[in-house]
């Protein structure tokens, strides 16, 4: 029952904040919980969902290349500007932090609730996008490791 109340609270916050992504995500999870095979599939989605999501995001990122909107000239221009080099460094940092974030989510499940809360606050209060729980987990790992903090 607690999980239903928690999901309902998230749904209400998403509705109040007019965040369609979070509304859809919460609705999908609630519908999945109702299905008879939920106990079998929810753990699979939990384990593989991040990788599926990264794949969908990667497809979306590659579409401008496929449509010809972005080409080699754009790549060369990116390497000629300081902003391009910052973007490359940020991409590398995010990929590394995400690796540690995924590891931390598996090793320290308690961090998940804090990340969910932070993501909801960021999405609803600051009109952010809920695309960063893995990155947030990686950043958490970095700070926790640097300052020798523990959950």
């Amino acid at each position: 029952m607690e999980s239903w109340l928690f999901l309902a609270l998230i749904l209400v916050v998403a509705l109040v904040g007019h965040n369609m992504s979070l509304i859809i995500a919460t609705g999908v999870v609630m519908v999945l919980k109702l299905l008879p095979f939920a106990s079998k599939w929810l753990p699979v989605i939990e384990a593989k969902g991040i990788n599926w999501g990264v794949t969908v995001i990667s497809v979306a990122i590659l579409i401008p290349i496929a449509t010809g909107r972005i080409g080699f000239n754009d790549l060369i221009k990116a390497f000629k500007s300081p902003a391009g080099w910052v973007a490359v460094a940020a991409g590398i940092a995010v990929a590394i932090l995400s690796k540690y974030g995924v590891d931390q989510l598996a090793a320290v499940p308690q961090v998940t609730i804090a990340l969910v809360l932070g993501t909801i606050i960021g999405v609803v209060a600051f009109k952010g996008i809920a695309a960063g729980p893995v990155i947030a987990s990686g950043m958490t790992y970095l700070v926790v490791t640097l300052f020798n903090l523990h959950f």
Side-chain angles (χ1 to χ4, degrees):
M1 184 60 154
E2 182 179 347
S3 64
W4 283 106
L5 291 173
F6 203 160
L7 288 169
L9 177 63
I10 293 169
L11 183 59
V12 167
V13 170
L15 288 166
V16 168
H18 305 292
N19 187 283
M20 192 54 65
S21 296
L22 193 54
I23 292 168
I24 292 169
T26 307
V28 166
V29 170
M30 292 174 101
V31 168
L32 286 172
K33 269 185 73 68
L34 291 171
L35 298 175
F37 55 80
S39 62
K40 179 180 175 186
W41 281 100
L42 289 178
V44 172
I45 295 168
E46 179 183 7
K48 306 280 187 190
I50 290 173
N51 290 330
W52 296 341
V54 168
T55 300
V56 170
I57 291 169
S58 297
V59 167
I61 290 170
L62 293 173
I63 295 297
I65 295 170
T67 61
R69 271 195 22 238
I70 296 176
F72 283 111
N73 287 337
D74 298 302
L75 178 63
I76 292 166
K77 284 182 195 174
F79 282 110
K80 290 182 179 178
S81 73
W85 283 102
V86 169
V88 169
I92 292 168
V94 164
I96 292 167
L97 288 174
S98 294
K99 174 202 176 292
Y100 289 110
V102 169
D103 292 346
Q104 178 170 274
L105 286 171
V108 187
Q110 302 92 318
V111 78
T112 301
I113 188 62
L115 290 171
V116 168
L117 177 61
T119 300
I120 291 169
I121 292 169
V123 165
V124 174
F126 300 103
K127 304 297 182 207
I129 297 173
V134 173
I135 297 166
S137 182
M139 292 167 65
T140 302
Y141 170 83
L142 180 65
V143 171
V144 165
T145 301
L146 284 175
F147 295 101
N148 198 25
L149 304 171
H150 301 284
F151 283 94

